[in-house]
Amino acid sequence: MRSALVAATAFFSLAVTGQPVLAAEAPYVDDRSDAEAVIRSFYSAINRQEFARAWDYFGETKPAKDFGAFVKGYDGTDTVEVKTGGVSEDGAAGSIYYNVPVAIRATARDGSENVFAGCYTLRQVNAQIQEPPFHPIFIDKGALKPSKANFEDAVPASCGDGPPPPKKDAALEQAKKAFAATYGDQCDKEMPGGEPLGEPDAYSLRYKNAGAEADEPERETRLFRFFCSMAAYNESAVYYVYDDISGVRQLQFASPELDIHYENNDSEGKVEAINVTGFQTEDQLVNSEYDDATKTISSLNKWRGVGDASSVGTYLFRNGNFSLVQYDVDASYDGEINPQTVVDYNTAP
């Protein structure tokens, strides 16, 4: 499984003259928490021309005869993009070996591009048996060869002797990246009680557009529900959908703007009228859930802990989108649950 491979950097040289790229143009990534992260960190160092750092991601077996030859291998290289596939692993004698399928797109300073693909083998030595100096996960060996495939399709299906790892759920991965980019600093980093966040809830919705011919195939929309935050009695969630036309997009939910009149202007008193004055959109839903039987997302926003005052929204999936069909409001703080419907698109007006 760990047969000798040609050093990957032997294939990366693009001998084109030009001025060096400023290191600050590429983000600094130095993450050795798993094998895939090490590969991405290695190429971060290459893109920033921090060659000593790149050299250090390898173990005793280096990718070139000496450091000078390693650096010279990147003469003329402007940027390198990297994609990784499913990682497989194999344990042996106090170490874990990881096989990482990799594809890169190397762009020269003259704008020409070359795609390479192959495998890296990384090694993690059991930390409990190590003595100083400590060695984190490192690249043991690697080989990439020129590929005629498009960069997006060039990642090998598997590496090593084992069966191919399960394919990644591309739609789920895109949704996770979108959520992390927008809400990574806004939403909670763990679930209530301290347990780590798990995968988002995922659903597959199959349907035909209105007016579709009987022989037309069904379409599919993927729905992803991400936990965001938990307060005293309300939990918020963010939703994304994916389809083959629009890709991943975040759902925005319509909700009415309310003008509520209380007797004697006392919010603890009798409700005289609830008027809808307009609509707004929300990017999160409170105490929400998806019901696959009715193809609806419902939310319950408690205005206080006992739940006697609240608003409830119902959003129906049809023709590839979720739309507001009903909105109920209980505006009385009377200790009873007695909502009234203020928006009803379930029936004709």
Side-chain angles (χ1 to χ4, degrees), residues 29-60:
V29 179
D30 183 16
D31 184 353
R32 304 187 189 225
S33 59
D34 59 45
E36 184 178 17
V38 172
I39 295 300
R40 295 193 175 278
S41 298
F42 169 71
Y43 284 107
S44 163
I46 295 299
N47 280 324
R48 292 171 60 88
Q49 298 189 8
E50 296 168 351
F51 296 114
R53 178 162 72 93
W55 180 263
D56 189 59
Y57 288 113
F58 287 84
E60 294 182 359

Side-chain angles (χ1 to χ4, degrees), residues 312-346:
V312 177
T314 303
Y315 302 87
L316 175 65
F317 180 79
R318 51 191 173 193
N319 296 325
N321 288 294
F322 283 90
S323 55
L324 176 67
V325 293
Q326 186 168 328
Y327 204 85
D328 302 318
V329 176
D330 185 348
S332 60
Y333 297 85
D334 56 3
E336 298 180 3
I337 299 176
N338 46 8
Q340 67 180 82
T341 300
V342 297
V343 172
D344 183 3
Y345 298 134
N346 288 295

Side-chain angles (χ1 to χ4, degrees), residues 164-188:
K167 290 185 177 181
K168 289 185 177 180
D169 186 332
L172 173 59
E173 294 301 315
Q174 290 180 40
K176 289 164 65 174
K177 288 180 180 179
F179 175 75
T182 305
Y183 296 95
D185 295 329
Q186 300 180 36
C187 294
D188 296 344

